[in-house]
RNA sequence: UGGGAUGUCGUCUAAUGGUAGGACAGCGGACUCUGGCUCCGUAUGUGAGGGUUCAAAUCCUUCCAUCCCAGCCA
């Protein structure tokens, strides 16, 4: 049993950790999640968060939350707050292990002076353009900077004056002295400090110079005693530099950097740049638009932390670039909500149904809240002579295999009665406006013990007792699964799905829906899972569709129509 | 064309020289007061070619394909 659980989560990183534990290299494990506070977290970050915090949990280690805040021009406190909220919401706890790379600015500076003193770093005065020229290209080696051979004293003096704000932005940089001919561009004397006279959201105006990622990250890891520094594939080329810094410096330990493939999800994008553009240009309504793959957006849509964590477990971790099918996410959220969501009835496209032999007045019927959860109890629903059913649940000329309502056909109204359609009322244009039915009083509760076969069961609401709903129907953000497959000359904007959000204001729901709480999820019977939106009020109930239910009838129809 | 990586069912991912397995998607069926859920069954895969071995997804070799790298971003 235990073995199975282990195997379920097995991946190459956990194998490395197992080996390190077995060999005695480490006694306990420390990982970290290191976001830059320059944007909102998305489902791709959730993969990394679950990986790092999940390892800490399973190995009884620790996972640090560390903000990689070394570039004050891009970063903001607003993002720090949203990131902490999202990580917590996903269900993870860092306890006292909250860090900021900016906490290490003093130490980083001290180490930089050591590099200078040992002749391993120098102050360079090449402009950005010149630096690019000197760097060479992928196939031609770079050239040494003319400032590369300054004395230690001169470098130290210049570096201190950089720190003290004597020079303008961009006029000088501190560079590591490694190898301008290296085939790895990251090793061609990389910049480790740049001048930025910008206020930092935590350190204020204490610093005029800020350390670069490559230098900061490895040192921060080492200072925190990280054992396994897990990052994405594009940093693979940076690993030699990660190791180089740690080899030069008197750091307390030397963490191992391990790279894995970031998450790609079909029909959406993970790029911070594109996501930001969608928000800024107004193609979506904000970072928490329910169509966004951001944690904030998915939370608003109604995805649960449990579903997202389950998803992260199921997609696994590997080094090969991949694209995960969005359907897996739908599967995870359905599986979670099936157990937890209370069932309610709502009609999205109402068609009036009048029961000719039902008396005036109404009656209360009992409906179970969740057949998957006996603890969920029952609720009362009101039945009367005039109802609404789903327009799609009636067909005048039903296709083969049709279980639903049709002229002369009998169906069950869920939790209520059997009804038989006797007449179809149309307007002048031929549009069906009303169905006339009779009901069988003996089938009260939706059941008869005379062995009658009633295949179809429909959801319904009572016309006089239903409440008006606004229902926001969401679908994929983009119309194609992989935006790398764009046609020549087209932009990702050309592939925005025009039907990604459909606002339905004619929907009707059973009255108990009025008492829903914001953020509460329901299964609208036969329709899908819905979540009370932030805009929800008792006067104007608003629900987001999280996902539909599986619909084998629709699939069967698609099959026969496309096969014809 | 330099360097770094990666190729296993449609998709994601296990298998650390010894029966290629799981999940999602698909298909078929049972059950059902949700055409939901559940249950049962089922097809499909080691990029290609050589080699080593009793035995290769795994080791060697030659190809092929894809991804990443020329920010004072992370």
């Amino acid at each position: 049993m235990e073995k199975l659980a282990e195997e379920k989560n097995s991946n190459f990183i956990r194998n490395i950790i197992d080996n390190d534990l077995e060999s005695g290299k480490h006694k306990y494990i420390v990982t970290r999640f290191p976001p830059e506070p320059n944007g909102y977290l998305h489902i791709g970050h959730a993969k990394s968060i679950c990986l790092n915090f999940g390892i800490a949990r399973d190995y009884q280690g620790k996972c640090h939350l560390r903000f990689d805040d070394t570039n004050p021009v891009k970063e903001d406190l607003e993002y720090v707050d949203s990131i902490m909220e999202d990580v917590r919401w996903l269900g993870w706890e860092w306890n006292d292990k909250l860090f900021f790379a900016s906490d290490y600015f003093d130490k980083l500076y001290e180490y930089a002076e050591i590099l200078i003193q040992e002749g391993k770093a120098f102050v360079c005065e090449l402009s950005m353009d010149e630096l690019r020229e000197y760097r060479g290209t992928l196939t031609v080696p770079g050239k040494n900077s003319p400032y590369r051979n300054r004395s230690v004293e001169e470098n130290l003096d210049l570096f201190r004056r950089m720190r003290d704000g004597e020079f303008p932005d961009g006029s000088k940089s501190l560079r590591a002295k490694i190898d301008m001919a290296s085939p790895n561009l990251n090793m061609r004397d990389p910049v480790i400090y740049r001048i930025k006279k910008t206020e930092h959201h935590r350190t204020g105006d204490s610093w005029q110079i800020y350390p670069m990622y490559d230098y900061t990250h490895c040192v921060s890891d080492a200072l925190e005693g990280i054992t396994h520094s897990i990052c994405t594939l594009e940093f693979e080329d940076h690993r030699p530099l990660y190791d180089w810094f740690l080899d030069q410096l008197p750091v307390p330990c030397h963490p191992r950097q391990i790279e894995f493939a970031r998450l790609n999800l079909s029909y959406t994008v993970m790029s911070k740049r594109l996501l930001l553009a969608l928000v800024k240009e107004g193609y979506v309504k904000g970072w928490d638009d329910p169509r966004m793959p951001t944690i904030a957006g998915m939370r608003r849509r109604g995805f649960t932390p449990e579903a997202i964590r389950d998803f992260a477990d199921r997609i696994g971790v590997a080094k090969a670039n991949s694209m995960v099918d969005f359907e897996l996410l739908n599967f995870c959220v359905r599986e979670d909500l099936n157990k937890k969501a209370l069932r309610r009835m709502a009609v999205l496209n109402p068609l009036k149904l009048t029961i000719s032999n039902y008396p005036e007045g109404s009656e209360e019927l009992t409906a179970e809240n969740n057949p998957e959860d006996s603890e969920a109890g029952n609720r009362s629903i009101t039945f009367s002579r005039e109802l609404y059913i789903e327009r799609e649940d009636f067909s005048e000329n039903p296709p083969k295999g049709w279980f639903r309502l049709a002229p002369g056909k009998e169906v069950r109204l869920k939790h209520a009665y059997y009804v038989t359609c006797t007449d179809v009322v149309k307007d002048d244009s031929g549009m069906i406006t009303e169905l006339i039915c009779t009901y069988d009083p003996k089938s009260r509760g939706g059941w008869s013990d005379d062995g009658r076969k009633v295949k179809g069961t429909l959801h319904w609401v009572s016309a006089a007792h239903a409440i008006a709903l606004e229902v926001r129907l969401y679908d994929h953000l983009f119309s194609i699964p992989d935006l790398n497959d764009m046609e020549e000359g087209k932009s990702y904007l050309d592939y925005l799905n025009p039907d990604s959000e459909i606002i339905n204001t004619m929907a009707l729901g059973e009255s108990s829906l009025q008492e829903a709480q914001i953020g509460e999820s329901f299964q609208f019977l036969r329709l899908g899972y819905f979540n009370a939106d932030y805009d929800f009020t008792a006067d104007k109930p608003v629900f987001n569709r999280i996902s539909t239910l599986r619909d084998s009838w629709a699939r069967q129809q698609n099959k026969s129509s496309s096969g014809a």
Side-chain angles (χ1 to χ4, degrees), chain A residues 346-474:
Chain A
V347 174
L348 296 185
N349 189 8
L351 172 61
K352 193 170 183 189
L353 184 155
T354 300
I355 302 172
S356 54
N357 61 339
Y358 190 86
E360 290 301 323
S362 66
E363 68 180 306
E364 293 298 312
L365 298 166
T366 299
E368 61 188 347
N369 280 326
N370 186 348
E372 305 296 319
D373 177 8
S374 51
E375 311 272 284
N378 297 313
R379 70 188 184 284
S380 179
I381 46 176
T382 311
F383 187 84
S384 66
R385 179 185 171 91
E386 293 187 348
L387 311 170
Y388 285 103
I389 64 164
E390 208 71 65
R391 187 167 283 274
E392 287 75 18
D393 282 340
F394 177 78
S395 173
E396 229 179 343
N397 300 295
K400 195 164 167 279
W402 180 262
F403 295 169
R404 281 110 103 142
L405 199 57
K409 214 170 143 23
E410 182 174 54
V411 297
R412 169 171 33 247
L413 295 179
K414 180 78 177 175
H415 302 308
Y417 291 98
Y418 296 169
V419 294
T420 304
C421 179
T422 54
D423 277 295
V424 178
V425 183
K426 298 180 184 178
D427 65 13
D428 296 341
S429 69
M431 163 103 158
I432 297 172
T433 55
E434 185 181 356
L435 265 18
I436 310 296
C437 295
T438 57
Y439 85 120
D440 176 0
K442 292 195 297 296
S443 63
R444 194 181 136 116
W447 182 249
S448 67
D449 48 16
D450 55 7
R452 237 186 302 175
K453 271 201 308 188
V454 180
K455 265 284 208 183
T457 300
L458 309 188
H459 57 280
W460 53 274
V461 294
S462 167
H465 307 89
I467 59 170
L469 259 33
E470 175 173 321
V471 177
R472 300 173 181 171
L473 304 170
Y474 292 107

Side-chain angles (χ1 to χ4, degrees), chain A residues 171-241:
Chain A
S171 61
K172 288 181 177 50
S173 62
L174 183 71
R175 293 221 269 156
K177 204 185 282 187
I178 308 179
D179 178 10
M180 288 306 290
S182 171
N184 181 345
L185 304 214
N186 295 119
M187 301 300 273
R188 318 243 262 226
D189 291 4
V191 171
I192 56 189
Y193 265 95
R194 75 286 217 191
I195 302 172
K196 271 187 200 292
K197 303 196 170 188
T198 304
E199 190 155 312
H200 187 279
H201 61 96
R202 283 180 62 84
T203 61
D205 56 6
S206 318
W207 292 91
Q208 318 278 321
I209 56 172
Y210 291 94
M212 298 287 289
Y213 163 84
D214 285 303
Y215 175 63
T216 308
H217 203 88
C218 55
V219 171
S220 304
D221 283 346
L223 293 176
E224 290 177 17
I226 302 298
T227 54
H228 301 267
S229 179
I230 303 166
C231 63
T232 44
L233 249 29
E234 68 269 26
F235 292 103
E236 215 150 16
D237 287 340
H238 296 242
R239 188 170 3 116
L241 184 52

Side-chain angles (χ1 to χ4, degrees), chain A residues 14 36 48 62 73 92 102 192 219 263 272 294 301 304 326 337 371-372 380 387 390 442 467 469 519 549:
Chain A
R14 284 170 181 253
E36 183 187 15
S48 174
K62 287 275 187 293
V73 313
W92 304 104
S102 53
I192 56 189
V219 171
L263 170 68
K272 272 187 190 175
T294 51
R301 170 95 161 249
T304 60
F326 200 97
L337 257 17
E372 305 296 319
S380 179
L387 311 170
E390 208 71 65
K442 292 195 297 296
I467 59 170
L469 259 33
L549 259 26

Side-chain angles (χ1 to χ4, degrees), chain A residues 525-536:
Chain A
L525 237 50
R526 304 209 300 139
L527 295 175
Y529 293 99
F530 294 76
N531 185 270
D533 187 76
Y534 300 168
D535 293 339
F536 181 101

